[in-house]
Amino acid sequence: MRYIKIIAPAVIVIFMITLQSCKKGFLEGVNNDPNYPYQVTDRVLLPGAEGNLAYAQGGDMERFTSLMVQYITGYSRQFAAYQVYTINESDVNNLWNNLYAATMSNYKAMMDISSKEPTFYNTYDAIARILMAYTLGMTTDVWGDLPYSEAFQGNLNLTPAYESQQVIYDSIEELLSTAINELNAEPGDDVDVPDANDFIYGGDPTQWVALAHALKARYYIHQTAIDGSANGSASAQKALDEINAGGDIADAAYPFSSSQHGPWYQYIEQRDDITYSAEEDGVGTTVSNLMSSRSDPRYGVYYDVNGDYWGVGYLGQFFSGDAASVYLMTYFEEAFIESEANLRLGNTADAQTTLQEAINASFTFYGLNPADSAEQAYVSTYGVLTGDFNSDLKTIITEKYIANFLHPETWVDFRRTGYPALVPNSGDQIPLRFVYPQNEHLYNPQPSLPSGGNNTSSTLFSPKLWWEP
Amino acid sequence: MKQAIRFFIAVLATLFIWQVSSAQRTITGTVKDEKGEAVIGASVLVKGTTTGTYTDENGNFTISAPANATTLVFKYLGYKAQEVPLTASNVVNVSLEPDVLGLEEVVVTAIGISSEKKKLAYAVQDVSGDQVTAAGNNNTMSALAGKVAGLQVISSTGSPGASVYLQLRGATSITGDNTPLFVVDGIPIDNSYNYSGSPNNVGALINNNLIASVDNSNRAIDINPDDIASVTVLKGAAATALYGIRAAHGAIIITTKKGGAEGAGKGLHASYSTTLTMENVNKLPDLQDEYVKGSGGSLRSYESTASGSWGPAVHDANGNVQLYWDPSQQTDFNQYGELVETTNPDTFGHALIPFTPYDNAKQFFRTGHTFENNIALSGGGDNGGFRVSFGSLNQDGVVPLSTFDRYTAKIAGQSKIGNQWSVGGSVTYTQSGGTRVQTGSNTSGLMLDLLRTPISFDNSNGSDNPTDPSAYILPNGYPRVYRGLAPQIGGAWYDNPYWTINQNPFVDDVNREFGYGEVNYSPFSWLKFTERIGNDFYSDRRNQHFAINSAALPAGQVFTQDYFYRHVNNDILATATKDFSDKFSASLTLGNNAFSQHQEQNYVQGDQLAIPNFYNISNAAVVSSVNIVSRYRTYAFYGSLDLAIANQLYINATARNETSSTLPNDNNSFFYPSASASWVFTEPLGLSNNKIFPYGKIRASYAQVGSDAPPYVLGTPFTSTTANDGWTTGIVFPLPDRNGNLTTGYGNAANLGNPGLKPEKTWSYEFGADLRFIQNRIGLDVTYYYSKSLDQIVPAPIAGSTGFQQQFLNSGSIENRGWEISLNITPVKTKDWRWDVGINWSTNQSKVLELANGVNTLFLGGFEDPSISAVVGQPYASIYGTRWLRDPKTGQIVIDDGTLGQEGYPVEDAQVGVIGNNEPDWISGITSTLSWKGLSLYVLFSIRQGGQIWDGTYGALAYFGRTASTLTRNDSTIFSGVRGYQDASGNIVTEGSNTVKVPLDQTWYQALPGSGFTGPAEQFVEDASYVKLKELSITYSLNPKWLTKTPIASLDISLVGRNLWLSTNYKGVDPETSLTGANHSQGMDYFNMPSTRSYGINLKITL
């Protein structure tokens, strides 16, 4: 009995030690995540990143910028508040996150993968750079100073510093130049090249090179108000050089489909807080009223005049159809840039030729025939320059305003040129920028930005963007 | 059938009633109580052995004791245990003394360890099985409301099977579920609230599956309350430290009924109970019935897409009807034709029908019925016993076609094998589910359309039959909705409630098994080994379809969502107990626990249906599916030491070391110590026989517990791309590429992994006193506690510029402190009369001390505006959103002085902030039981004081001109506040009190800050205080003397009622409500389904 009293605890201790040794095997590998991959390839990153870009642009970005330039009217619920410029920092959180965390971070991931095997994924790398430049440009043109070189680093930097918009523009230029060089120097030893998984150009390097040049032109033309030269001719020359170097672009579009509907379709279907034309709300927007007054042949494309899609006066099927595309850059925009550059350089004749080319290209783009009488009448009435710089600039930008319907570029054009003249919906000024989003304010507060101001108390009017006159 | 049952019972009897012969000495005798009446089912045990028996119907017993037996121990619930030394005589007669103070009552504490109440040094509270089912309650969770001090119970809605949120002593985890662990017979049971809807709604969007969904159950609903013998609520960390991680928020320990147990007596017993109750909606928001569909005071046709009730009044200034139906203008929307506005119907030249308002809610809601039946057979002998039970619950809700059904079967048994071994176990099988109710911010949400519908539109189209298609489908096949012809209004309509219940049903089907098996080996009287293994397994299969032309999904959708859950829990423990002397005894337990959990979710969604009314994935043009597997394991060693000194000082120390699979390998184990002591100070004072103050105990405890991370948050994966913008459902990869072939798309996950996580910690202490006065006619138990949680693993939002949107960080801290008071009084106690009053009162004050660096708010649930958020410096779960601009000097609301062009109206603050809090100041439950002979009246009042709810329902309904408050739409008011504006640099410039009178018209409610959609959320935050008559029962127990000639042992008939009376200032539904179900984001009401009051009859028979 006495022995047992000693043995029993000993048995317990040995048993416990045995149990202890089971622990490792019991827990090993349990926390290995079977649900998600931790290593991926450029091939699967590209389509997702393009899709995110298209949805971010065609969603909040186009809705907010269209509101600013009076392409649309905020009608009810949140959009009724936006209409009078009550836009809080929480209202732009999603857009910022979609651009940074869902879109640009994936271009960065693609560039990181490519940089490990520099010769194997050049095409993917170049496309990632062009899309990064495009997205970064769209982002900086609404927010100004941004994080870029310290951004997208995850745990390595949780509070990326902001860089001035000018530095961001330098980065954009460098991204595009590198991409052009990579694609031009492509020796063809890529182990994987994009094909149908590139929704925009099907992996065609030539088209991407042309787009890269056109984008450089776009960002040069943005700088005309501040480059110090008369009428911005220095920037205009750079833009023209790029257009000449790249040639005509193919429209860069992300197609949606009848199985995965585009953002304007989904917004009308699921929210419908916006109105578009006088036929719908009795008032109309600046653009719809302008087009109506000019009997613009595109009116019937922009708006559902017969009510055979969403209803009378709604956005037309070209924009609001389930499979409507989101356009990154169109050929007609390139032509408008060329026209503006020529005007700024004093080549009024070339400016008029390219302006008419731009308007006609937009007719073609919208499925109209420039040879038809209404189209010809329109061009001969509104596509005419006078030789007076200011009124000609107004003519070009106003035509671009009409043609580039819903595109975020229009708000940039308005802010840098002041055209077309818009009457604010509320107060005495059209907003000049977005407020910084709540999450940046709270989790990456930057009490001072390179350009002055800060990201914790920005408004729709300050700090001013770098390229604003 | 009878034969089969007999055979079944015979088999069970042979299985469990072991006949072991080891007779050395046969002792007989009789056990009587203090009145000399026979005690049936008292236990008789040979001291120091497991040999024992029970007394029979006459109080007689026969026991075979070993030759060396020295003492017999007699025990009976409510009586003091008595030890009788054996003499030469083989006859032992005993008279038991009542245990007036109830100190020898045994409660089950952590890991299934039983302890006498007097030894406990921390707060526990018991609820008997009879109390659980007192008012015919069929949900164990809601049945605990008001019965335990410090337990907050919130039933989401009155829908059949709706979830119930439980919380003990506040929230100790910032993002965790904060609900107590359910333990049934020593085995943890899952009580998850599994959302419905696409798991592709990742990150914060998963929240959409909570705010716009159906009234789901949380899984403790699968426990049949009729199987419960008792519930012990372990409130604090000291009580639960031995359980480790999973009991970090307290534990609900359920002991089920077993056959052959003490008090049950020998032989076979059967019981049957049946309950039939009826339910009605108990409270709806107060709506107007004067203004019809229209805008700006003018009428809109049925086909108009106008959404509001801003049309003309039914009555003119003189109170005469001025609206008529014009039968000549026949419409599919109304059998009587279009409405016309006229004060002189004769001018129409044909007969008009005077308009009478429709009450859509009254027409829609029905009387629900609940029919519950339970049958149980139990038997026992000297060495074991068994119990078999079957339960059925069939419920039809107040919403037509909504149901919840639950069928349970349970078998339990235990047996001794020889003197050293015993075995026990149980298996419960539950099948539950039903047709659920669409609720919340959901265009199929029933309340959404039902309450927004103007009084001029009859959702039912005159039909009393809820399945009549004429109510919800127009002759052209489009849905019949008050906002006009569906194709013309884009997405802006809500489903007619009759459409939803007929065309968009959601059904779930849960099959569940849980149980345990236990072997005890006691080689010596002082040493016992226990091996206990248990499991919980369920599959939860859900199916939802949306018919073509449903508001949210006009192309139609079908989804199936299958949850699969399994856990296995194993404890192996050794307990040594030794009485060293009369004055000193000690008990030591050492154990090991292994817990393994596997969860899986398979979700298949098909969109764009081709063939109407055919709901199969094959009918969908677009199919997407998600498969999520989550595995989790923990491994722990633990020990507990109990010392009892001189019958007055009790000391307990526990330790547990736990290792979790979810933490980094080098930082995955953590240690929980706890120490507690209690002192019966009346013992040294010699008061134990004092008539006034016989018993007083003070107690103190300290504990530290830990917690781990969710699975798979250490690394950063890539996820399949979904793109959306917060307004729309967006796109989901795979998608057709340029050639039309599907291509996958992956991208950075929103969540950034954190390889440096460490365990969370919570430390807490509590002090308490247990005082009994006047023969226990007054008992008072008071506890004060404090807990502080550190290193909380919180999913902190991070700046999007990092490339990610959130990360789990060890950065949160929260504290809770509070008081719990239980007072039990027996004011009247005579031979025939007895009146017991129990009061539970508790208060908890929480405070969020820290979130992540630079983070002052953390979204927990709800909407973008408002949300339920954790806010630093505030009580847990603030209501956070847009608010009025206030003058910082006076706190007065700033009224626009014309600067904004809205002179006289209050101004919205551009900055969001805390606008309310759901934490009650205190909660209380008061029970009163009055009995006279066989008749008893029991009532339970439940009181909540303070705490707020965002009544988004009311805000939205005001927008649509439906609330009673919009009856003043033609009046003007002067907003109280200070005239002023905010200048460009954010300063507030004021100029005296506002005196400008402004109309409270449609513009105010829709376009100005009075809007329920765009105006400050602050104005819809309301006090959620209430007093309700939670439970009532009147029971008549037939005098047993009348039944002696029948096989019936007892027969009780009760009239029962729940939620019979409610007093509250809350303008919406019953303020005991939750939009997000059993989830930590409490305090939201956005078209929540109403609660119900119920009343019925219950009959119990035992044989």
Side-chain angles (χ1 to χ4, degrees), chain B residues 691-816:
Chain B
K691 290 241 169 348
I692 306 297
F693 186 27
Y695 184 79
K697 180 171 88 167
I698 53 172
R699 53 181 192 252
S701 68
Y702 174 89
Q704 188 179 313
V705 297
S707 193
D708 52 6
Y712 316 138
V713 297
L714 306 181
T716 310
F718 291 88
T719 55
S720 187
T721 300
T722 60
N724 53 47
D725 58 13
W727 301 89
T728 52
T729 47
I731 55 170
V732 178
F733 276 81
L735 279 175
D737 66 14
R738 285 174 69 91
N739 296 337
N741 303 317
L742 283 182
T743 179
T744 49
Y746 271 82
N748 265 340
N751 186 66
L752 174 64
N754 185 350
L757 285 179
K758 57 185 183 183
E760 296 180 351
K761 268 192 221 121
T762 297
W763 59 266
S764 69
Y765 60 78
E766 70 174 70
F767 301 105
D770 180 359
L771 310 171
R772 315 283 179 89
F773 304 95
I774 321 173
Q775 292 282 309
N776 207 21
R777 296 279 285 269
I778 300 174
L780 177 67
D781 193 300
V782 180
T783 305
Y784 173 79
Y785 61 86
Y786 175 85
S787 75
K788 185 171 183 177
S789 307
L790 302 165
D791 295 333
Q792 289 271 301
I793 297 173
V794 292
I798 56 177
S801 49
T802 59
F804 300 87
Q805 301 185 35
Q806 69 161 27
Q807 182 173 41
F808 287 89
L809 299 176
N810 274 109
S811 56
S813 175
I814 186 170
E815 67 174 11
N816 283 275

Side-chain angles (χ1 to χ4, degrees), chain B residues 818-854:
Chain B
W819 290 89
E820 288 158 0
I821 298 171
S822 301
L823 177 64
N824 293 292
I825 310 172
T826 307
V828 177
K829 190 177 171 187
T830 68
K831 184 164 174 286
D832 289 335
W833 286 92
R834 183 175 172 123
W835 184 27
D836 292 303
V837 177
I839 300 171
N840 292 309
W841 185 93
S842 64
T843 175
N844 180 76
Q845 272 121 39
S846 62
K847 190 175 179 183
V848 177
L849 301 176
E850 199 181 356
L851 295 167
N853 187 26

Side-chain angles (χ1 to χ4, degrees), chain B residues 359-366 398-400 446 450 497-498 501:
Chain B
D359 187 339
N360 280 295
K362 190 177 171 190
Q363 170 76 8
F364 183 70
F365 289 114
R366 311 287 149 129
V398 293
V399 170
L446 293 173
L450 196 58
Y498 295 95
I501 60 173

Side-chain angles (χ1 to χ4, degrees), chain A residues 4 15 19-20 26 31 35 37 44 55 63 77 98 105-106 152 155 198-200 260 266 269-270 440 442, chain B residues 491 524 572 629 633 635 637 661 712 718 724-725 728-730 732 735 738 746 748 753 801 807 854 1014:
Chain A
I4 292 170
F15 192 58
L19 286 172
Q20 174 67 26
F26 185 71
N31 208 35
N35 302 309
V44 299
Y55 212 84
R63 284 195 297 270
R77 293 187 285 199
N98 282 338
S105 64
N106 292 313
F152 322 117
N155 282 315
D198 167 14
F199 281 69
I200 295 169
Q260 297 272 329
Q266 293 201 16
E269 179 197 46
Q270 297 170 36
E440 286 292 313
L442 291 175
Chain B
F524 311 107
I572 180 158
V629 176
R633 286 182 177 180
Y635 201 74
F637 291 94
S661 66
Y712 316 138
F718 291 88
N724 53 47
D725 58 13
T728 52
T729 47
V732 178
L735 279 175
R738 285 174 69 91
Y746 271 82
N748 265 340
S801 49
Q807 182 173 41
T1014 55

Side-chain angles (χ1 to χ4, degrees), chain B residues 306-621:
Chain B
S307 59
S309 293
W310 295 103
V314 177
H315 301 94
D316 63 15
N318 302 321
N320 299 319
V321 170
Q322 58 174 352
L323 288 175
Y324 293 84
W325 282 297
D326 180 357
S328 74
Q329 300 185 58
Q330 185 52 43
T331 164
D332 289 336
F333 292 95
N334 196 298
Q335 53 186 321
Y336 304 124
E338 281 291 348
L339 273 182
V340 292
E341 194 178 4
T342 178
T343 47
N344 186 4
D346 298 340
T347 58
F348 278 75
H350 55 266
L352 299 182
I353 304 165
F355 170 77
T356 49
Y358 295 111
D359 187 339
N360 280 295
K362 190 177 171 190
Q363 170 76 8
F364 183 70
F365 289 114
R366 311 287 149 129
T367 298
H369 301 90
T370 302
F371 189 37
E372 191 186 4
N373 289 285
N374 284 288
I375 184 162
L377 281 168
S378 62
D382 290 350
N383 291 311
F386 72 93
R387 181 174 185 271
V388 189
S389 64
F390 302 94
S392 72
L393 168 69
N394 304 98
Q395 197 172 357
D396 299 320
V398 293
V399 170
L401 309 185
S402 70
T403 61
F404 179 75
D405 299 291
R406 181 182 66 207
Y407 301 93
T408 57
K410 180 170 187 286
I411 176 164
Q414 73 279 343
S415 177
K416 290 175 198 161
I417 305 166
N419 286 329
Q420 295 182 329
W421 293 84
S422 68
V423 295
S426 79
V427 180
T428 303
Y429 169 75
T430 303
Q431 194 264 320
S432 68
T435 304
R436 302 290 177 156
V437 174
Q438 299 279 349
T439 185
S441 179
N442 167 354
T443 49
S444 292
L446 293 173
M447 291 286 272
L448 200 101
D449 183 88
L450 196 58
L451 302 184
R452 291 181 186 192
T453 304
I455 53 169
S456 44
F457 185 82
D458 179 9
N459 277 322
S460 71
N461 206 8
S463 175
D464 278 331
N465 177 2
T467 61
D468 186 344
S470 74
Y472 57 86
I473 300 181
L474 294 173
N476 65 5
Y478 284 111
R480 181 178 171 275
V481 290
Y482 88 86
R483 290 189 67 170
L485 281 168
Q488 284 169 16
I489 48 180
W493 84 87
Y494 334 104
D495 290 324
N496 184 319
Y498 295 95
W499 173 282
T500 297
I501 60 173
N502 287 288
Q503 301 279 86
N504 303 340
F506 178 106
V507 293
D508 67 329
D509 178 16
V510 173
N511 285 273
R512 185 173 193 177
E513 175 277 320
F514 56 85
Y516 77 103
E518 180 177 297
V519 179
N520 294 294
Y521 172 55
S522 184
F524 311 107
S525 61
W526 56 271
L527 182 66
K528 183 170 133 181
F529 294 98
T530 299
E531 155 63 30
R532 185 190 304 128
I533 187 162
N535 83 324
D536 183 6
F537 163 81
Y538 63 77
S539 74
D540 177 350
R541 297 182 299 128
R542 303 173 180 189
N543 190 288
Q544 163 91 69
H545 65 250
F546 292 94
I548 294 168
N549 287 326
S550 293
L553 299 150
Q557 187 186 75
V558 51
F559 74 72
T560 61
Q561 186 160 28
D562 293 350
Y563 284 94
F564 171 88
Y565 180 95
R566 175 184 73 215
H567 78 225
V568 178
N569 185 80
N570 190 73
D571 277 291
I572 180 158
L573 54 144
T575 303
T577 313
K578 183 88 183 161
D579 294 345
F580 291 95
S581 72
D582 282 356
K583 299 275 181 198
F584 183 65
S585 65
S587 167
L588 175 70
T589 299
L590 294 174
N592 165 269
N593 173 263
F595 179 81
S596 173
Q597 183 188 67
H598 180 103
Q599 286 175 279
E600 195 164 332
Q601 190 191 152
N602 290 308
Y603 177 85
V604 182
Q605 175 181 317
D607 284 283
Q608 299 177 38
L609 305 181
I611 305 161
N613 304 317
F614 172 55
Y615 301 105
N616 188 287
I617 289 291
S618 62
N619 191 26

Side-chain angles (χ1 to χ4, degrees), chain A residues 256 261-262 264-265 309-310 315-325:
Chain A
F256 287 88
H261 303 155
W264 279 102
Y265 179 95
Y309 199 66
W310 290 107
L315 208 53
Q317 193 172 355
F318 184 92
F319 295 99
S320 69
D322 53 3
S325 293

